[in-house]
CSV table of all heavy atoms in Angstrom, one decimal:
chain,number,residue,atom,x,y,z
A,19,LEU,N,59.7,53.4,12.1
A,19,LEU,CA,59.7,52.2,12.7
A,19,LEU,C,59.4,52.3,14.2
A,19,LEU,O,58.6,51.5,14.7
A,19,LEU,CB,61.0,51.4,12.5
A,19,LEU,CG,61.1,50.0,13.2
A,19,LEU,CD1,60.1,49.0,12.6
A,19,LEU,CD2,62.5,49.4,13.0
A,20,ASP,N,60.0,53.2,14.9
A,20,ASP,CA,59.7,53.4,16.3
A,20,ASP,C,58.3,53.8,16.5
A,20,ASP,O,57.6,53.3,17.5
A,20,ASP,CB,60.7,54.5,16.9
A,20,ASP,CG,62.1,54.1,17.1
A,20,ASP,OD1,62.2,52.8,17.2
A,20,ASP,OD2,63.0,54.9,17.2
A,21,GLN,N,57.7,54.6,15.6
A,21,GLN,CA,56.3,54.9,15.7
A,21,GLN,C,55.4,53.7,15.6
A,21,GLN,O,54.4,53.4,16.3
A,21,GLN,CB,55.9,55.9,14.6
A,21,GLN,CG,56.5,57.3,14.9
A,21,GLN,CD,56.3,58.3,13.8
A,21,GLN,OE1,55.5,58.0,12.8
A,21,GLN,NE2,56.9,59.4,13.8
A,22,VAL,N,55.7,52.9,14.5
A,22,VAL,CA,54.9,51.6,14.3
A,22,VAL,C,55.0,50.7,15.5
A,22,VAL,O,54.0,50.2,15.9
A,22,VAL,CB,55.5,50.9,13.0
A,22,VAL,CG1,54.9,49.5,12.9
A,22,VAL,CG2,55.1,51.7,11.8
A,23,VAL,N,56.2,50.6,16.0
A,23,VAL,CA,56.4,49.7,17.2
A,23,VAL,C,55.6,50.2,18.3
A,23,VAL,O,55.0,49.4,19.1
A,23,VAL,CB,57.9,49.5,17.5
A,23,VAL,CG1,58.1,49.0,18.9
A,23,VAL,CG2,58.6,48.7,16.5
A,24,GLY,N,55.6,51.6,18.6
A,24,GLY,CA,54.8,52.2,19.6
A,24,GLY,C,53.4,51.9,19.5
A,24,GLY,O,52.7,51.5,20.5
A,25,VAL,N,52.8,52.0,18.3
A,25,VAL,CA,51.4,51.8,18.1
A,25,VAL,C,51.1,50.3,18.3
A,25,VAL,O,50.1,50.0,18.9
A,25,VAL,CB,51.0,52.2,16.6
A,25,VAL,CG1,49.7,51.6,16.3
A,25,VAL,CG2,50.9,53.7,16.6
A,26,VAL,N,51.8,49.4,17.8
A,26,VAL,CA,51.7,47.9,18.0
A,26,VAL,C,51.7,47.6,19.4
A,26,VAL,O,50.8,46.9,19.9
A,26,VAL,CB,52.7,47.1,17.2
A,26,VAL,CG1,52.6,45.7,17.7
A,26,VAL,CG2,52.5,47.3,15.8
A,27,ARG,N,52.6,48.1,20.2
A,27,ARG,CA,52.7,47.9,21.7
A,27,ARG,C,51.4,48.3,22.4
A,27,ARG,O,50.8,47.7,23.2
A,27,ARG,CB,54.0,48.5,22.2
A,27,ARG,CG,54.1,48.3,23.8
A,27,ARG,CD,55.3,48.9,24.4
A,27,ARG,NE,55.7,50.2,23.9
A,27,ARG,CZ,56.9,50.4,23.2
A,27,ARG,NH1,57.7,49.5,23.0
A,27,ARG,NH2,57.1,51.6,22.8
A,28,SER,N,51.1,49.6,22.0
A,28,SER,CA,49.9,50.2,22.6
A,28,SER,C,48.6,49.4,22.4
A,28,SER,O,47.8,49.1,23.2
A,28,SER,CB,49.8,51.7,22.2
A,28,SER,OG,48.7,52.3,22.7
A,29,TRP,N,48.5,49.1,21.1
A,29,TRP,CA,47.3,48.4,20.6
A,29,TRP,C,47.2,47.0,21.2
A,29,TRP,O,46.2,46.6,21.7
A,29,TRP,CB,47.3,48.3,19.0
A,29,TRP,CG,46.3,47.5,18.4
A,29,TRP,CD1,45.0,48.0,18.1
A,29,TRP,CD2,46.3,46.2,18.1
A,29,TRP,NE1,44.3,47.0,17.6
A,29,TRP,CE2,44.9,45.8,17.5
A,29,TRP,CE3,47.1,45.2,18.2
A,29,TRP,CZ2,44.6,44.6,17.2
A,29,TRP,CZ3,46.8,43.8,17.8
A,29,TRP,CH2,45.6,43.6,17.2
A,30,LEU,N,48.3,46.3,21.2
A,30,LEU,CA,48.3,45.0,21.9
A,30,LEU,C,48.0,45.0,23.3
A,30,LEU,O,47.4,44.2,23.9
A,30,LEU,CB,49.7,44.3,21.6
A,30,LEU,CG,49.8,42.8,21.8
A,30,LEU,CD1,48.7,42.1,21.0
A,30,LEU,CD2,51.2,42.4,21.5
A,31,GLY,N,48.4,46.1,24.0
A,31,GLY,CA,48.2,46.3,25.4
A,31,GLY,C,46.7,46.5,25.7
A,31,GLY,O,46.3,46.2,26.8
A,32,ARG,N,46.0,46.9,24.7
A,32,ARG,CA,44.5,47.2,24.9
A,32,ARG,C,43.7,45.9,24.6
A,32,ARG,O,42.5,45.9,24.9
A,32,ARG,CB,44.1,48.3,24.1
A,32,ARG,CG,44.6,49.7,24.5
A,32,ARG,CD,43.9,50.8,23.8
A,32,ARG,NE,44.0,50.7,22.4
A,32,ARG,CZ,44.9,51.2,21.6
A,32,ARG,NH1,45.9,51.8,22.2
A,32,ARG,NH2,44.9,51.1,20.3
A,33,CYS,N,44.4,44.9,24.1
A,33,CYS,CA,43.7,43.6,23.7
A,33,CYS,C,43.8,42.7,25.0
A,33,CYS,O,44.3,41.5,24.9
A,33,CYS,CB,44.3,43.0,22.6
A,33,CYS,SG,44.1,43.9,21.1
A,34,HIS,N,43.3,43.0,26.1
A,34,HIS,CA,43.3,42.2,27.3
A,34,HIS,C,42.5,41.0,27.4
A,34,HIS,O,42.8,40.0,27.9
A,34,HIS,CB,43.2,43.0,28.6
A,34,HIS,CG,44.3,43.9,28.8
A,34,HIS,ND1,45.5,43.5,29.2
A,34,HIS,CD2,44.4,45.3,28.8
A,34,HIS,CE1,46.4,44.6,29.4
A,34,HIS,NE2,45.7,45.7,29.1
A,35,ASP,N,41.3,41.1,26.8
A,35,ASP,CA,40.3,40.1,26.9
A,35,ASP,C,40.8,38.8,26.1
A,35,ASP,O,40.8,37.7,26.7
A,35,ASP,CB,38.9,40.4,26.4
A,35,ASP,CG,39.0,41.1,24.9
A,35,ASP,OD1,40.0,41.4,24.5
A,35,ASP,OD2,37.9,41.0,24.3
A,36,THR,N,41.2,39.0,25.0
A,36,THR,CA,41.8,37.8,24.2
A,36,THR,C,42.9,38.4,23.3
A,36,THR,O,42.7,39.0,22.3
A,36,THR,CB,40.8,37.0,23.3
A,36,THR,OG1,40.2,38.1,22.5
A,36,THR,CG2,39.7,36.3,24.1
A,37,ARG,N,44.2,38.2,23.8
A,37,ARG,CA,45.3,38.8,23.1
A,37,ARG,C,45.6,38.0,21.9
A,37,ARG,O,45.9,36.8,21.9
A,37,ARG,CB,46.5,38.8,24.1
A,37,ARG,CG,47.7,39.5,23.4
A,37,ARG,CD,48.8,39.8,24.4
A,37,ARG,NE,48.4,41.1,25.1
A,37,ARG,CZ,49.3,41.6,25.9
A,37,ARG,NH1,50.4,41.1,26.2
A,37,ARG,NH2,49.0,42.8,26.5
A,38,PRO,N,45.6,38.7,20.8
A,38,PRO,CA,46.1,38.0,19.5
A,38,PRO,C,47.6,37.8,19.5
A,38,PRO,O,48.3,38.4,20.2
A,38,PRO,CB,45.6,39.0,18.4
A,38,PRO,CG,45.6,40.3,19.1
A,38,PRO,CD,45.3,40.1,20.6
A,39,SER,N,48.0,36.9,18.6
A,39,SER,CA,49.4,36.6,18.3
A,39,SER,C,49.9,37.5,17.2
A,39,SER,O,49.0,37.8,16.3
A,39,SER,CB,49.6,35.2,17.9
A,39,SER,OG,49.2,34.3,19.0
A,40,LEU,N,51.0,38.0,17.3
A,40,LEU,CA,51.5,38.9,16.3
A,40,LEU,C,52.9,38.4,15.8
A,40,LEU,O,53.7,37.8,16.5
A,40,LEU,CB,51.8,40.4,16.9
A,40,LEU,CG,50.6,41.3,17.0
A,40,LEU,CD1,51.0,42.6,17.5
A,40,LEU,CD2,49.8,41.4,15.7
A,41,ARG,N,53.1,38.7,14.5
A,41,ARG,CA,54.4,38.3,13.9
A,41,ARG,C,54.8,39.6,13.1
A,41,ARG,O,54.1,40.0,12.3
A,41,ARG,CB,54.3,37.2,12.9
A,41,ARG,CG,55.6,36.9,12.2
A,41,ARG,CD,55.4,35.7,11.3
A,41,ARG,NE,56.5,35.7,10.3
A,41,ARG,CZ,57.0,34.6,9.8
A,41,ARG,NH1,56.6,33.4,10.2
A,41,ARG,NH2,58.0,34.6,9.0
A,42,LEU,N,55.9,40.2,13.5
A,42,LEU,CA,56.5,41.3,12.7
A,42,LEU,C,57.7,40.9,12.0
A,42,LEU,O,58.5,40.1,12.6
A,42,LEU,CB,56.9,42.5,13.7
A,42,LEU,CG,55.8,43.4,14.2
A,42,LEU,CD1,54.9,42.7,15.1
A,42,LEU,CD2,56.4,44.6,14.9
A,43,GLN,N,57.8,41.3,10.8
A,43,GLN,CA,59.0,40.9,9.9
A,43,GLN,C,59.5,42.1,9.1
A,43,GLN,O,58.8,42.8,8.4
A,43,GLN,CB,58.5,39.7,9.0
A,43,GLN,CG,59.6,39.2,8.2
A,43,GLN,CD,59.3,38.0,7.4
A,43,GLN,OE1,58.3,37.4,7.7
A,43,GLN,NE2,60.1,37.6,6.4
A,44,ILE,N,60.9,42.2,9.2
A,44,ILE,CA,61.6,43.2,8.5
A,44,ILE,C,62.6,42.4,7.7
A,44,ILE,O,63.6,41.8,8.4
A,44,ILE,CB,62.1,44.3,9.2
A,44,ILE,CG1,61.1,45.1,9.9
A,44,ILE,CG2,63.0,45.2,8.3
A,44,ILE,CD1,61.6,46.3,10.7
A,45,GLY,N,62.6,42.3,6.4
A,45,GLY,CA,63.6,41.4,5.7
A,45,GLY,C,63.5,39.9,6.2
A,45,GLY,O,62.5,39.4,6.3
A,46,ASP,N,64.6,39.5,6.6
A,46,ASP,CA,64.7,38.1,7.3
A,46,ASP,C,64.5,38.0,8.7
A,46,ASP,O,64.5,36.9,9.2
A,46,ASP,CB,66.0,37.4,6.9
A,46,ASP,CG,66.1,37.2,5.3
A,46,ASP,OD1,65.1,37.0,4.7
A,46,ASP,OD2,67.3,37.1,4.9
A,47,ASP,N,64.4,39.2,9.3
A,47,ASP,CA,64.3,39.2,10.8
A,47,ASP,C,62.8,39.1,11.3
A,47,ASP,O,62.0,39.9,10.8
A,47,ASP,CB,64.8,40.5,11.4
A,47,ASP,CG,65.0,40.6,12.8
A,47,ASP,OD1,64.8,39.5,13.5
A,47,ASP,OD2,65.3,41.7,13.4
A,48,VAL,N,62.5,38.1,12.0
A,48,VAL,CA,61.1,37.9,12.5
A,48,VAL,C,61.0,37.9,14.0
A,48,VAL,O,61.9,37.4,14.7
A,48,VAL,CB,60.7,36.5,12.0
A,48,VAL,CG1,59.3,36.2,12.5
A,48,VAL,CG2,60.7,36.4,10.4
A,49,LEU,N,59.9,38.6,14.4
A,49,LEU,CA,59.6,38.6,15.8
A,49,LEU,C,58.2,38.1,16.0
A,49,LEU,O,57.3,38.6,15.4
A,49,LEU,CB,59.6,40.1,16.4
A,49,LEU,CG,59.1,40.2,17.8
A,49,LEU,CD1,60.0,39.5,18.9
A,49,LEU,CD2,59.0,41.7,18.2
A,50,GLU,N,58.0,37.0,16.7
A,50,GLU,CA,56.8,36.4,17.0
A,50,GLU,C,56.4,36.5,18.5
A,50,GLU,O,57.2,36.2,19.3
A,50,GLU,CB,56.7,34.9,16.6
A,50,GLU,CG,56.8,34.7,15.1
A,50,GLU,CD,56.6,33.4,14.6
A,50,GLU,OE1,55.6,32.7,15.2
A,50,GLU,OE2,57.3,32.8,13.8
A,51,MET,N,55.2,37.0,18.8
A,51,MET,CA,54.7,37.1,20.1
A,51,MET,C,53.4,36.5,20.3
A,51,MET,O,52.4,36.8,19.7
A,51,MET,CB,54.6,38.6,20.4
A,51,MET,CG,55.8,39.4,20.4
A,51,MET,SD,55.6,41.2,20.6
A,51,MET,CE,54.9,41.7,19.1
A,52,THR,N,53.4,35.4,21.2
A,52,THR,CA,52.2,34.7,21.6
A,52,THR,C,52.2,34.5,23.0
A,52,THR,O,53.2,34.1,23.6
A,52,THR,CB,52.2,33.3,20.9
A,52,THR,OG1,52.4,33.5,19.4
A,52,THR,CG2,51.0,32.6,21.1
A,53,GLU,N,51.1,34.9,23.6
A,53,GLU,CA,50.9,34.7,25.0
A,53,GLU,C,52.0,35.4,25.9
A,53,GLU,O,52.5,34.8,26.8
A,53,GLU,CB,50.8,33.2,25.4
A,53,GLU,CG,49.6,32.5,24.8
A,53,GLU,CD,49.5,31.1,25.1
A,53,GLU,OE1,50.2,30.6,26.1
A,53,GLU,OE2,48.7,30.3,24.5
A,54,ALA,N,52.4,36.6,25.4
A,54,ALA,CA,53.5,37.3,26.1
A,54,ALA,C,52.8,38.3,27.0
A,54,ALA,O,51.8,38.8,26.8
A,54,ALA,CB,54.4,38.0,25.1
A,55,THR,N,53.5,38.6,28.2
A,55,THR,CA,53.1,39.6,29.2
A,55,THR,C,53.3,41.0,28.5
A,55,THR,O,54.1,41.2,27.6
A,55,THR,CB,53.8,39.4,30.5
A,55,THR,OG1,55.2,39.8,30.3
A,55,THR,CG2,53.7,38.1,31.1
A,56,ASP,N,52.8,42.0,29.2
A,56,ASP,CA,53.0,43.3,28.6
A,56,ASP,C,54.5,43.7,28.7
A,56,ASP,O,55.0,44.3,27.8
A,56,ASP,CB,52.3,44.4,29.5
A,56,ASP,CG,50.7,44.4,29.2
A,56,ASP,OD1,50.3,43.8,28.2
A,56,ASP,OD2,50.0,44.9,30.1
A,57,GLU,N,55.2,43.2,29.8
A,57,GLU,CA,56.6,43.5,29.9
A,57,GLU,C,57.4,42.8,28.8
A,57,GLU,O,58.4,43.4,28.3
A,57,GLU,CB,57.1,43.1,31.3
A,57,GLU,CG,56.5,43.9,32.4
A,57,GLU,CD,55.1,43.5,32.8
A,57,GLU,OE1,54.6,42.4,32.4
A,57,GLU,OE2,54.4,44.4,33.4
A,58,GLN,N,57.1,41.6,28.5
A,58,GLN,CA,57.8,40.8,27.5
A,58,GLN,C,57.5,41.4,26.1
A,58,GLN,O,58.5,41.5,25.3
A,58,GLN,CB,57.3,39.3,27.5
A,58,GLN,CG,57.7,38.6,28.7
A,58,GLN,CD,57.0,37.2,28.8
A,58,GLN,OE1,55.8,37.1,28.4
A,58,GLN,NE2,57.7,36.2,29.4
């Protein structure tokens, strides 16, 4: 999971021109990221 999260963070950080929205879900836990800064 830490590896997956690291790849997602790195990949998303390279999408500077038009950053896509992401939704990660494990079981009932959902994380949605839209228009977030690199720090967020």
Side-chain angles (χ1 to χ4, degrees):
L19 177 59
D20 286 338
Q21 292 174 7
V22 168
V23 165
V25 165
V26 168
R27 179 178 39 242
S28 175
W29 178 85
L30 195 56
R32 291 190 304 271
C33 295
H34 288 292
D35 54 340
T36 53
R37 183 169 276 188
S39 296
L40 282 179
R41 174 182 165 143
L42 278 69
Q43 182 172 344
I44 297 178
D46 292 334
D47 189 12
V48 176
L49 171 64
E50 292 191 43
M51 296 176 286
T52 303
E53 299 180 15
T55 66
D56 289 342
E57 294 79 20
Q58 290 169 328

